[in-house]
Amino acid sequence: MGLETMERTVYLNGKFLPESQANISIFDRGFLFADAVYEVTSVLQSKLIDNLGHFHRLERSCRELNLTLPLSYQELTDIQHTLIEKNQLHEGGIYLQLTRGDEGDRDFTYHDGVPPTIVLFTQERNLVNSPKAKKGIKVISYADMRWRRRDIKTTNLLPACMAKHAAHAAGADDVWLIENGYVTEGGSNNAYIVTQDDKIVTRPLSNDILHGITRASLMKLAQEFDIEIEERHFTIDEAYAAKEAFISSATTFVWPVVAIDDKPIGDGQPGLIALKLREIYINAALAAAE
Ligand code: PDD
């Protein structure tokens, strides 16, 4: 296959273009200031998973930062379906990024009326049969160095990049971030433990964590299936002693965590509740996919 045929078709400001021709100004505020928000929607069987939830969170991120969202839900899904079709995407995700646009110079102060930059592209990924879903992942604890509005999904991701790099250097797959002795969330996912009496524990929603769309779906499903969830803070020591641990996100759904800081969780194998929730989530997500 030649390079040309391997190029993805991407979306940039109203146009579908080969990726090599989708160019953005050096003055774009997304590039200069990480003045941008993003979303990742997973794709299964060429359909969008939990997409309306991602759109609602995008609307909220834009509102909180005084950014203009130039697309309706219908316009967005039309673009996403076109990208799925043009790139023959069966399984993976669609990344969306919206920035405050290009003001032609570098100036901290932004001005109203500048058209936003909007980019979408597809990524192929093995989601359902991911080896990490079956084997589980290892995480290390790591200081949460992020800003105070983690509920807004901005592209200000350097702390996550540094943390994940440290995890990989330590032979682990990801981090669990710690603040004031408590776990906030994973490097790019929400964090959960299961107590010895089979209750799922996860941190309550606040500005300290991203309000995961997968998390919201899992909470609903757990209720339907009579699995108890307690929203409260938990320490890393409580996590070491948990029966199970797991993470959730659009790019993982549910992945068991089998070790934290090299200490095996439970018997060191993927937990039964995590695997059950994963199965329930995938079935429900597929049934509601758009
Ligand atoms: N990350 N917490 C953080 C810090 C995240 O970055 C993410 C998502 C989540 C889970 O949210 P959701 O269930 O809506 O995907 C929690 C995406 C996948 C990413 O950055 O690639």
Side-chain angles (χ1 to χ4, degrees), residues 244-259:
E244 298 184 22
F246 62 92
I247 59 163
S248 78
S249 74
T251 48
T252 60
F253 302 147
V254 174
W255 279 359
V257 171
V258 293

Side-chain angles (χ1 to χ4, degrees), residues 38 45 114 135 159 180 227 229 233 235 246-247:
Y38 77 108
Q45 298 177 6
V114 177
K135 274 180 49 192
N180 302 326
I227 304 171
I229 297 201
H233 289 53
T235 63
F246 62 92
I247 59 163

Side-chain angles (χ1 to χ4, degrees), residues 137-155:
I137 61 163
K138 295 179 178 177
V139 303
I140 58 166
S141 55
Y142 196 83
D144 196 334
M145 295 187 282
R146 298 172 300 162
W147 76 328
R148 307 238 53 91
R149 289 305 306 275
R150 301 161 192 160
D151 55 311
I152 309 174
K153 199 162 172 61
T154 77
T155 59

Side-chain angles (χ1 to χ4, degrees), residues 38-40 50 54 57 95 123 125 146 150 153 157 160 177 185-192 209-216 248-253 281:
Y38 77 108
E39 281 297 331
V40 179
D50 270 346
H54 288 283
R57 186 172 61 192
Y95 176 86
Q123 291 186 297
R125 211 177 264 132
R146 298 172 300 162
R150 301 161 192 160
K153 199 162 172 61
L157 291 172
L177 299 170
E185 54 189 330
S188 56
N189 39 68
N190 291 114
Y192 310 75
I209 61 168
L210 187 75
H211 302 188
I213 301 307
T214 318
R215 179 189 184 281
S248 78
S249 74
T251 48
T252 60
F253 302 147
Y281 176 81

Side-chain angles (χ1 to χ4, degrees), residues 230-251:
E230 229 175 73
E231 287 182 272
R232 63 165 171 84
H233 289 53
F234 62 92
T235 63
I236 198 73
D237 284 330
E238 189 178 0
Y240 295 152
K243 192 170 177 183
E244 298 184 22
F246 62 92
I247 59 163
S248 78
S249 74
T251 48

Side-chain angles (χ1 to χ4, degrees), residues 58-77:
L58 178 64
E59 284 184 313
R60 180 179 181 275
S61 295
C62 286
R63 242 188 346 264
E64 293 296 313
L65 296 176
N66 194 21
L67 279 162
T68 307
L69 177 58
L71 297 171
S72 67
Y73 186 58
Q74 186 60 54
E75 286 164 336
L76 173 64
T77 51

